[in-house]
C-alpha cells in the first residue's frame, strides 16, 4: 500500500519482489477523495492515494523519468537546478539572491537528489518486507547537513564550480547553515553517527526524535567571563533538509480517565486532551550509496489552532491557550546531561514522542496484514537511554486495549521488540518519575506499570522465595514519599537485551547498577557494544588535508567505508617523506584553528605551540578543573623561571570548550575560572608565548569539526568509573591527535588498540575509587604540595582581580570529600603532562605515534558498532538498494 508518510512511492502488502512499482500500483479503481474532519485534521490520516489507473501509468512513468533526467550533476545542469529553486521555490530573481537565498536554493536542489534516493530506498524496504530498526532517541545532534550530503553524493566539485559561476563561494554558502543542535552531547551525537552508518551499511533504519524549535542553547560569555545562555531558534529561516509530512500527523492523548479490563483483558482510556504530532522527515544519506534512511522528528501542535467560541466571547488569551500549551511540548530541548530534570514537561515530551513513534510503527506493521505475534520479526526498537521507556507500557496498551491481545502474549511481544542502551552510571542521571505525576498525565499507563510490576515481582518471589529486601530493591516502584517509578528497571525487564557503551562501562552496568537483574535474568540479557563514530564526518569531511593524504597513501577512498584499512598506514609510520606530509596536514589544521581563535577571541596565539584540547560538556566528573589547575601550576612554574629556562619549555596552547547546564553552579564557576586564567595569561607578556588558554564559546558539532583535526593532545580525564564511554576521544585519535586520559570509558580500549606507548595514561583505577572516597570522608586524605601551591595562588586573588574567595566553592569541594578525587590524581596528572612535553620535543617520533594511532582506529567506526547491533541484537539484515 502506498505510504506517502514514509516517503515510499508505494506497493501493495502482498506485492511480489517486483522492480516495477507500477505493476503493484496498477488497480482499476479511482482514488477516493480525501475526507476532511470537522477540525480540518484527519486523525487516522487521509485515505491513501494508493491506486493508479492503468491509463495514467505511462504519463507518470514519463514524468518521473524526466524528473530523474533533471537531476544530473554537470555544472550547467546544477546551475539550472539551483536557478529553478531561486525562481520558483523562493520566488526571487538573480539580482536579489543573497548568501542565505543561495544556501536555500542550492540546498533544496541537493535535497531533490536525496529525495530521489530516499524514495528508492523506502520502496525497496516496503517491497522486500524487511525488518527495520527504530532508534528512539530524544536527541539527534546532526550538526550541518549540506556539506555532508555533497560529499556523500560525490557532487561537491560540481556545486563548488556551479556556485562560482553563479557568483558565490561554496565555503561561504556552507557557512550560512545553522547546526541542527537537537542534542546535548555524546548521546545525541552517537544517534546521529549511528543513523549515518545504517544508511552507509544498508541497514533499514528510522530515527525517531522530537523537532525542538529551540535546540541546545547558544553560549556567549559575559565581559566577566561567565556563561550566558541565549535561545537557539534554529528554524528561523526554515530548514531545507526537512520534509513536513502533514498527512501523517497523529493524535496523542494526555490526562483523562482509565479503567482496567477484567482478568488482563482490554482496559480503557477516555477523556483528557488530544494533541497533534506532526512528523518532519530528514533524509540521512549513505556514503556513495543509494540507501537513505530517515530521522522522523515530531512537532507538537494544537488540534485546533484556537477556540472560536472563546474568541467570539472576547476571551482572546483563552482562545489560543490550549494550542499554545500543546505547542510548548516541542518548544525546547532540555539542556542538562547526566542529571535528572524531573519536570512535567519533560515527561510529556517523552510520552508524546514515544506514543507518536509507536503509532507510526504500528500503522506500518498493520499494512503487512501479519498477526501481532510477528511484530518482533519486523520491528526492533532501540531505546537510547531510559528516556523512551514509556514505549514499553504504551506498546502493551496498544496490544491489550486496542488490539485485543491477551496480557501474556502482549508482554512477550513487547519483550522481543525492545532493546535498551544504558549510557551512564551516575545515580543522579537514572530517571525516576513520581507515581502521582505519571498517574495524572498517563492514568492508563500507571495501571499497566503496576500490572507489569505485579507479575514481575511474583516471578522474582518464585525464584528467590522470602527475599523481601530483594523485592524492594528490584521493584519498578521505589517506596517513599512520593513513590517513584524506576524507569531503568522497567527498561531492563521490558527489553530483550541491555547494553553498555564500552567494555568497562558494560561491566559496571552489571556489577554496580543492575546486579539483581543479572541474577534474575541471566548474564546473557546484558552485553556490550562499544560506541563508534562515523569516519565520514569525523575525518573525511572535517579533515580534508589528512583525508587526501591517507587516500593518496592507500590508493583509494575505500577506507572511508572500511575503516580497518587504516591499519595499512602503519607501514608509512617510519617513512620520512610521509611523516613530513602528515605534519604539514596537521599544520594546515592548526592554522585553521588559530585563525578561528584569533577571529573570535582577543587572543594572539603561538602557532607552533602544542595544542592541548578539552572540549565536552562542563561537568565535575569530567574534571575540567583538574586541567585548569594543572595550567595554573604550569604558569606558576614558568613565572619562577629565567627567560633562558623558559626558552627550553615546550610552548602550550590549552583550549577549552563546552556548555554548562544552566542551573549547574559548579560547572558555571568552572567556566569562570577558565576564562579568568585565560585573561591573566594573555595579559602576561612574559608568559603568553609559552602558555596560553582559550575558552571557545558555544562548542557545537561545527566547532568540533574545526577543533578535532587541530589537536596534538586531547584530554579525557574523568574520574575512573564515571565516563560511560566518551566518543570525542575516538574522534581526536582518528585525526592523529594523542590521548591524555584516565583509565575510564572507551579510553581503555583506545589505549589497547593504539598501544599504550602512544597514549598518556594517569590516575587512580576504578577498583580503588571507593576506598579513596572513604579515606576522604574519614579525613585521612593527603594533599600534594603542588596542589596547595595552586590553591594558595587562587585564594590570593591572583586570578580574580583580588577577589580571593571567588573560586572558593570549587576549592572547597576538593577539601570536603573530594568526590571526584582531584587531589588523588593531581600529581600523576602533572607527571603525564611532563611526559607529553618530553615526547613532543622529538618531532619525528611524535609524528610516528600519531600515524600509528590513526592506523589503529578502525574498530571505533560506527559502521562496526551498528553492524554489531544488527547481528547480535536487532537481528536486522542489510538490504541492497539497486541503483
Ligand atoms: C539525561 C538527562 C536527564 C534529564 C535532563 C536531560 C537529560 C539529557 C541527557 C541525559 C542522558 C545522559 C547520558 C549521556 O549523555 N551519556 C553519555 O553517552 C555517551 C554516548 O554513549 C557516552 O559517550 C558518554 O560517556 C556518556 O556520558
Amino acid at each position: 500500500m502506498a505510504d506517502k508518510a514514509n516517503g515510499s512511492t508505494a506497493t501493495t502488502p502482498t506485492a511480489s519482489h517486483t522492480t516495477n512499482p507500477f505493476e503493484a500500483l496498477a488497480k482499476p479503481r479511482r482514488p477516493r477523495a480525501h475526507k476532511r474532519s470537522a477540525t480540518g485534521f484527519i486523525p487516522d490520516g487521509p485515505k491513501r492515494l494508493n491506486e493508479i489507473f492503468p491509463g495514467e501509468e505511462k504519463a507518470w512513468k514519463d514524468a518521473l523519468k524526466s524528473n530523474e533526467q533533471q537531476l544530473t550533476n554537470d555544472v550547467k545542469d546544477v546551475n539550472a537546478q539551483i536557478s529553478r529553486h531561486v525562481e520558483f521555490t523562493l520566488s526571487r530573481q538573480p539580482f536579489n539572491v543573497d548568501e542565505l537565498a543561495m544556501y536555500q536554493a542550492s540546498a533544496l536542489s541537493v535535497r531533490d537528489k536525496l529525495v530521489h534516493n530516499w524514495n528508492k530506498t523506502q520502496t525497496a524496504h516496503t517491497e522486500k518486507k524487511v525488518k527495520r530498526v527504530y532508534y528512539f532517541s530524544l536527541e539527534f545532534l546532526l550538526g550541518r547537513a549540506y556539506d555532508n550530503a555533497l560529499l556523500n553524493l560525490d557532487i561537491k566539485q560540481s556545486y563548488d564550480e556551479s556556485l562560482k559561476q553563479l557568483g558565490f563561494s561554496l565555503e561561504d554558502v556552507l557557512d550560512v547553515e545553522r547546526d541542527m543542535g537537537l542534542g546535548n552531547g555524546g548521546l545525541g551525537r552517537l544517534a546521529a553517527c549511528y543513523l549515518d552508518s545504517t544508511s552507509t551499511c544498508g541497514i533499514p533504519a528510522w530515527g525517531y526524535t522530537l523537532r525542538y524549535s529551540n535546540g541546545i542553547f547558544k553560549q556567549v560569555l559575559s565581559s566577566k567571563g561567565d556563561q550566558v545562555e541565549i535561545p537557539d531558534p534554529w528554524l528561523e529561516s526554515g530548514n531545507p533538509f526537512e520534509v513536513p509530512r502533514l498527512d501523517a500527523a497523529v493524535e496523542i492523548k494526555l490526562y483523562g480517565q482509565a479503567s482496567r479490563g477484567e482478568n488482563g483483558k482490554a482496559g480503557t482510556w477516555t477523556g483528557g486532551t488530544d494533541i497533534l504530532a506532526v512528523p518532519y522527515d530528514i533524509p540521512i544519506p549513505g556514503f556513495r550509496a543509494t540507501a537513505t534512511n530517515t530521522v522522523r522528528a515530531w512537532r507538537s501542535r494544537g488540534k485546533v489552532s484556537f477556540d472560536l467560541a472563546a474568541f467570539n466571547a472576547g476571551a482572546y488569551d483563552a482562545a489560543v491557550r490550549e494550542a499554545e500549551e500543546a505547542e510548548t511540548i516541542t518548544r525546547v530541548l532540555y539542556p542538562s546531561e547526566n542529571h535528572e530534570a524531573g519536570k512535567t514537561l519533560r515527561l510529556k515530551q517523552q510520552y508524546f514522542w514515544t506514543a507518536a513513534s509507536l503509532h507510526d510503527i504500528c500503522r506500518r506493521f498493520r499494512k503487512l496484514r501479519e498477526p501481532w505475534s510477528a511484530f518482533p520479526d519486523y520491528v526492533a526498537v532501540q531505546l537510547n537511554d531510559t528516556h523512551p521507556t514509556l514505549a514499553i507500557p504504551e506498546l502493551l496498551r496498544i496490544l491489550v486495549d486496542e488490539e485485543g491481545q491477551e496480557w501474556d502474549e502482549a508482554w512477550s511481544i513487547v519483550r522481543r521488540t525492545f532493546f535498551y542502551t544504558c549510557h551512564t552510571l551516575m545515580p543522579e542521571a537514572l530517571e525516576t518519575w513520581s507515581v502521582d505525576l505519571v498517574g495524572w498525565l498517563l492514568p492508563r499507563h500507571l495501571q499497566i506499570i503496576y500490572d507489569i510490576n505485579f507479575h514481575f515481582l511474583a516471578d522474582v518471589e518464585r525464584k528467590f522465595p522470602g527475599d523481601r529486601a530483594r523485592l524492594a530493591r528490584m521493584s519498578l516502584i521505589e517506596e517513599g514519599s512520593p513513590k517513584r517509578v524506576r524507569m531503568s528497571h522497567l527498561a531492563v525487564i521490558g527489553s530483550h537485551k541491555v547494553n553498555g557503551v564500552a567494555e568497562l562501562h558494560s561491566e559496571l552496568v552489571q556489577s554496580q547498577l543492575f546486579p539483581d537483574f543479572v541474577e534474575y535474568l541471566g548474564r546473557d540479557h546484558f552485553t556490550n557494544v562499544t560506541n563508534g563514530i562515523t569516519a565520514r564526518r569525523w575525518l573525511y569531511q572535517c579533515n580534508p588535508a589528512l583525508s587526501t593524504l591517507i587516500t593518496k597513501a592507500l590508493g583509494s577512498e575505500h577506507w572511508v567505508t572500511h575503516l580497518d584499512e587504516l591499519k595499512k598506514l602503519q607501514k608509512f609510520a617510519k617513512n620520512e617523506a610521509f611523516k613530513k606530509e602528515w605534519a604539514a596536514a596537521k599544520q594546515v589544521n592548526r592554522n585553521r584553528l588559530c585563525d578561528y581563535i584569533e577571529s573570535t577571541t582577543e587572543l594572539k596565539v603561538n602557532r607552533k605551540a602544542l595544542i592541548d584540547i578539552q572540549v565536552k560538556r562542563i561537568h565535575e566528573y569530567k574534571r575540567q578543573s583538574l586541567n585548569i589547575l594543572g595550567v595554573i601550576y604550569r604558569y606558576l612554574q614558568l613565572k619562577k623561571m629565567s627567560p633562558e629556562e623558559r626558552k627550553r619549555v615546550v610552548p602550550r596552547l590549552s583550549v577549552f570548550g563546552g556548555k554548562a547546564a544552566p542551573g549547574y553552579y559548579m560547572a558555571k564557576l568552572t567556566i569562570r575560572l577558565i576564562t579568568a586564567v585565560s585573561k591573566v595569561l594573555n595579559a602576561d607578556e612574559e608568559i603568553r608565548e609559552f602558555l596560553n588558554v582559550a575558552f571557545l564559546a558555544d562548542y557545537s558539532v561545527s566547532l568540533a569539526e574545526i577543533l578535532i583535526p587541530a589537536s596534538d593532545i586531547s584530554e579525557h580525564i574523568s574520574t575512573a568509573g564515571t565516563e560511560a564511554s566518551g566518543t570525542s576521544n575516538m574522534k581526536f585519535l582518528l585525526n592523529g591527535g594523542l590521548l591524555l586520559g584516565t583509565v575510564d570509558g572507551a579510553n581503555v580500549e583506545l589505549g589497547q588498540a593504539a598501544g599504550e606507548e602512544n597514549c598518556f595514561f594517569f590516575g587512580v583505577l576504578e577498583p580503588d575509587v571507593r576506598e579513596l572516597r572513604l579515606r576522604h570522608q574519614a579525613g585521612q586524605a593527603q594533599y600534594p604540595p603542588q596542589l596547595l601551591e595552586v590553591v594558595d595562588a587562587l585564594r590570593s586573588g591572583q586570578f580574580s582581580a583580588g577577589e580571593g574567595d571567588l573560586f572558593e566553592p570549587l576549592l572547597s569541594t576538593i577539601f570536603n570529600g573530594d568526590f571526584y578525587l582531584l587531589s588523588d590524581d593531581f600529581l600523576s596528572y602533572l607527571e603525564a603532562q611532563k611526559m607529553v612535553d618530553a615526547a613532543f620535543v622529538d618531532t619525528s617520533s611524535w609524528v610516528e605515534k600519531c600515524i600509528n594511532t590513526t592506523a589503529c582506529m578502525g574498530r571505533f567506526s560506527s559502521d562496526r558498532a551498528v553492524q554489531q547491533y544488527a547481528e547480535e541484537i536487532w537481528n536486522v539484515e542489510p538490504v541492497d538498494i539497486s541503483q
Side-chain angles (χ1 to χ4, degrees):
M1 208 174 292
D3 187 352
K4 291 176 75 185
N6 68 15
S8 75
T9 32
T11 180
T12 61
T14 49
S16 59
H17 292 192
T18 169
T19 48
N20 175 7
F22 288 96
E23 279 171 22
L25 288 170
K27 288 256 188 67
R29 273 194 298 125
R30 175 151 298 283
R32 301 262 303 276
H34 284 205
K35 262 194 194 146
R36 286 181 71 82
S37 74
T39 59
F41 289 104
I42 305 96
D44 293 323
K47 287 270 175 284
R48 300 282 162 203
L49 289 167
N50 58 1
E51 293 134 333
I52 289 182
F53 267 139
E56 296 162 356
E57 199 182 313
K58 185 170 180 328
W60 276 111
K61 260 187 181 169
D62 290 349
L64 289 175
K65 189 92 217 139
S66 139
N67 285 349
E68 186 166 3
Q69 281 160 359
Q70 288 180 29
L71 292 177
T72 54
N73 296 312
D74 298 337
V75 176
K76 259 173 82 177
D77 295 330
V78 172
N79 290 346
Q81 292 152 20
I82 295 174
S83 73
R84 256 198 301 280
H85 280 293
V86 165
E87 188 176 359
F88 300 123
T89 315
L90 306 184
S91 186
R92 298 236 206 171
Q93 299 188 51
F95 65 84
N96 198 19
V97 174
D98 56 9
E99 252 158 22
L100 174 63
M102 181 46 76
Y103 159 69
Q104 289 169 328
S106 59
L108 284 167
S109 77
V110 173
R111 190 184 86 172
D112 291 342
K113 296 166 210 258
L114 294 177
V115 167
H116 188 73
N117 288 343
W118 208 5
N119 285 338
K120 277 190 184 169
T121 308
Q122 300 311 323
T123 303
H125 291 172
T126 309
E127 280 179 5
K128 295 184 180 176
K129 292 180 145 196
V130 299
K131 180 171 183 179
R132 299 173 172 99
V133 59
Y134 297 99
Y135 200 84
F136 280 27
S137 180
L138 209 33
E139 306 187 7
F140 269 88
L141 199 44
L142 293 164
R144 288 171 169 170
Y146 193 170
D147 197 21
N148 186 256
L150 291 178
L151 289 169
N152 282 7
L153 295 171
D154 201 9
I155 55 175
K156 191 161 179 178
Q157 269 190 353
S158 301
Y159 272 72
D160 190 42
E161 182 53 31
S162 163
L163 261 59
K164 228 177 264 160
Q165 291 187 8
L166 298 173
F168 289 83
S169 125
L170 177 61
E171 207 181 321
D172 293 345
V173 168
L174 291 177
D175 220 35
V176 170
E177 184 175 12
R178 305 208 17 191
D179 271 37
M180 291 192 247
L182 306 184
N184 275 285
L187 170 137
R189 183 55 231 179
L190 187 77
C193 283
Y194 281 1
L195 256 286
D196 174 293
S197 283
T198 58
S199 293
T200 298
C201 300
I203 297 168
W206 287 66
Y208 276 108
T209 192
L210 291 181
R211 182 180 177 273
Y212 307 102
S213 36
N214 290 278
I216 185 69
F217 63 85
K218 292 213 154 302
Q219 176 194 55
V220 293
L221 296 173
S222 73
S223 56
K224 284 185 168 170
D226 284 314
Q227 166 176 298
V228 176
E229 301 95 27
I230 309 274
D232 170 38
W234 65 292
L235 288 162
E236 250 169 1
S237 342
N239 174 12
F241 287 99
E242 68 180 12
V243 179
R245 304 280 188 196
L246 305 180
D247 57 326
V250 299
E251 280 185 15
I252 304 299
K253 188 190 291 299
L254 292 172
Y255 311 106
Q257 299 80 41
S259 73
R260 280 193 169 89
E262 308 263 297
N263 306 324
K265 293 272 189 306
T268 61
W269 184 18
T270 53
T273 312
D274 290 327
I275 290 161
L276 267 188
V278 183
Y280 287 69
D281 289 354
I282 301 165
I284 307 292
F287 183 76
R288 312 285 151 85
T290 306
T292 304
N293 286 324
T294 310
V295 169
R296 174 159 282 188
W298 298 100
R299 175 186 185 183
S300 61
R301 304 294 308 263
K303 218 173 115 183
V304 278
S305 55
F306 77 109
D307 176 345
L308 190 62
F311 183 80
N312 288 339
Y316 305 115
D317 289 351
V320 290
R321 195 170 303 134
E322 203 172 308
E324 274 285 307
E325 258 180 53
E327 290 183 23
T328 299
I329 293 178
T330 57
R331 192 153 286 154
V332 64
L333 165 82
Y334 271 90
S336 52
E337 223 197 3
N338 274 313
H339 198 277
E340 201 196 326
K343 297 280 190 311
T344 309
L345 181 60
R346 171 92 175 164
L347 188 61
K348 276 191 194 170
Q349 287 186 335
Q350 295 186 347
Y351 179 66
F352 171 81
W353 152 60
T354 50
S357 308
L358 275 179
H359 189 109
D360 218 36
I361 292 167
C362 290
R363 179 179 49 73
R364 209 167 287 129
F365 175 74
R366 283 189 195 97
K367 289 192 222 158
L368 296 167
R369 302 193 191 291
E370 295 272 356
W372 284 99
S373 58
F375 191 72
D377 300 333
Y378 292 93
V379 176
V381 177
Q382 188 67 40
L383 306 174
N384 203 23
D385 218 277
T386 51
H387 316 155
T389 304
L390 284 170
I392 290 169
E394 172 66 2
L395 182 57
L396 260 180
R397 189 190 66 78
I398 294 170
L399 293 171
V400 174
D401 292 0
E402 294 180 2
E403 300 296 336
Q405 301 293 303
E406 297 288 332
W407 177 274
D408 289 345
E409 169 64 3
W411 182 236
S412 149
I413 294 170
V414 165
R415 292 199 60 212
R416 284 180 289 137
T417 299
F418 292 106
F419 308 91
Y420 160 48
T421 306
C422 174
H423 291 268
T424 192
L425 287 163
M426 314 284 289
E428 63 265 38
L430 290 179
E431 288 188 299
T432 61
W433 291 106
S434 111
V435 161
D436 292 342
L437 176 60
V438 177
W440 175 59
L441 202 64
L442 304 165
R444 180 65 187 125
H445 296 77
L446 184 62
Q447 292 175 345
I448 290 172
I449 290 168
Y450 267 102
D451 290 348
I452 297 172
N453 204 31
F454 174 81
H455 293 292
F456 162 59
L457 291 181
D459 199 44
V460 175
E461 168 66 24
R462 265 193 296 280
K463 280 200 174 142
F464 305 95
D467 192 345
R468 294 191 67 83
R470 182 186 297 266
L471 291 179
R473 285 197 308 271
M474 294 182 77
S475 173
L476 301 186
I477 308 298
E478 181 183 275
E479 294 301 326
S481 105
K483 288 186 185 163
R484 304 183 71 86
V485 183
R486 292 164 166 156
M487 303 311 269
S488 62
H489 292 197
L490 183 52
V492 168
I493 65 166
S495 296
H496 201 60
K497 275 229 190 292
V498 178
N499 77 283
V501 288
E503 275 166 19
L504 172 62
H505 174 245
S506 295
E507 251 179 66
L508 298 174
V509 164
Q510 294 175 45
S511 62
Q512 289 184 2
L513 280 186
F514 305 124
D516 290 322
F517 291 85
V518 173
E519 265 188 85
Y520 170 66
L521 295 162
R523 217 154 259 295
D524 283 355
H525 195 79
F526 294 83
T527 187
N528 171 249
V529 182
T530 298
N531 284 165
I533 56 167
T534 167
R536 267 74 65 187
R537 185 171 295 257
W538 297 114
L539 180 51
Y540 190 76
Q541 185 182 327
C542 72
N543 195 345
L546 192 59
S547 298
T548 308
L549 178 60
I550 292 173
T551 301
K552 196 173 87 180
L554 302 186
S556 81
E557 289 187 344
H558 199 236
W559 62 270
V560 181
T561 47
H562 298 79
L563 207 59
D564 284 326
E565 292 212 352
L566 292 180
K567 256 269 123 78
K568 295 185 193 151
L569 289 174
Q570 277 176 331
K571 67 170 183 276
F572 298 93
K574 289 192 187 296
N575 176 328
E576 289 306 320
F578 185 78
K579 279 157 80 170
K580 243 192 173 153
E581 289 189 81
W582 188 280
K586 177 63 76 179
Q587 194 58 44
V588 168
N589 294 319
R590 298 150 157 284
N591 288 343
R592 183 166 60 150
L593 175 59
C594 291
D595 288 345
Y596 181 85
I597 293 175
E598 291 185 348
S599 69
T600 55
T601 70
E602 285 161 7
L603 302 184
K604 180 95 190 84
V605 294
N606 175 353
R607 287 175 184 233
K608 288 278 171 251
L610 185 162
I611 299 185
D612 169 348
I613 304 183
Q614 188 178 16
V615 281
K616 46 184 86 243
R617 285 302 285 257
I618 312 291
H619 205 294
E620 285 163 288
Y621 85 81
K622 295 179 188 278
R623 298 200 299 189
Q624 283 88 357
S625 49
L626 180 60
N627 184 346
I628 195 66
L629 294 182
V631 170
I632 297 174
Y633 181 76
R634 181 181 284 264
Y635 175 69
L636 297 176
Q637 306 319 302
L638 279 165
K639 285 304 274 184
K640 289 184 219 163
M641 289 179 193
S642 68
E644 283 315 305
E645 284 174 313
R646 268 183 216 131
K647 286 202 182 112
R648 288 196 289 276
V649 170
V650 179
R652 178 76 75 123
L653 172 59
S654 277
V655 182
F656 291 82
K659 294 176 184 177
Y664 191 171
Y665 175 74
M666 285 300 179
K668 289 187 139 182
L669 194 56
T670 306
I671 293 179
R672 178 71 188 268
L673 175 57
I674 297 166
T675 53
V677 173
S678 170
K679 280 181 185 170
V680 170
L681 266 56
N682 197 43
D684 191 331
E685 288 176 16
E686 217 174 37
I687 301 297
R688 67 178 170 211
E689 132 188 32
F690 303 103
L691 179 61
N692 224 328
V693 170
F695 186 94
L696 300 184
D698 204 35
Y699 181 56
S700 64
V701 171
S702 290
L703 183 49
E705 289 169 20
I706 299 172
L707 281 156
I708 287 168
S711 90
D712 294 306
I713 58 169
S714 63
E715 304 205 18
H716 308 277
I717 58 176
S718 48
T719 313
T722 60
E723 188 70 274
S725 160
T727 41
S728 75
N729 42 7
M730 302 168 186
K731 296 167 195 167
F732 279 102
L733 270 59
L734 180 62
N735 283 271
L738 301 188
L739 172 84
L740 170 56
T742 45
V743 184
D744 199 19
N747 289 357
V748 179
E749 291 152 78
L750 286 161
Q752 285 162 359
E756 298 207 356
E757 68 284 5
N758 296 319
C759 303
F760 302 91
F761 278 107
F762 74 96
V764 304
L765 303 181
E766 191 280 329
D768 301 326
V769 166
R770 227 179 91 86
E771 175 67 29
L772 287 167
R773 282 184 178 154
L774 288 174
R775 211 178 285 175
H776 277 283
Q777 280 167 19
Q780 296 161 350
Q782 302 276 322
Y783 291 89
Q786 290 87 337
L787 178 60
L788 297 176
E789 187 184 339
V790 172
V791 170
D792 284 347
L794 279 167
R795 286 187 170 149
S796 76
Q798 195 180 346
F799 297 92
S800 44
E803 235 186 293
D805 55 1
L806 180 60
F807 301 115
E808 200 50 40
L810 269 179
L811 300 179
S812 76
T813 62
I814 304 176
F815 294 101
N816 289 294
D818 196 11
F819 190 75
Y820 294 108
L821 305 183
L822 263 83
S823 60
D824 301 275
D825 279 349
F826 194 64
L827 275 190
S828 66
Y829 176 70
L830 294 182
E831 277 306 309
Q833 285 285 21
K834 235 192 228 166
M835 289 172 59
V836 170
D837 285 328
F840 194 69
V841 175
D842 184 350
T843 312
S844 173
S845 95
W846 180 273
V847 175
E848 209 173 303
K849 286 179 194 294
C850 297
I851 297 170
N852 280 323
T853 298
T854 299
C856 297
M857 288 301 112
R859 177 161 178 256
F860 302 96
S861 164
S862 46
D863 299 349
R864 184 271 310 153
V866 298
Q867 276 160 352
Q868 199 181 333
Y869 275 106
E871 280 165 29
E872 297 172 13
I873 296 184
W874 302 330
N875 194 22
V876 169
E877 299 206 332
V879 176
D880 182 39
I881 313 290
S882 50
Q883 289 299 308

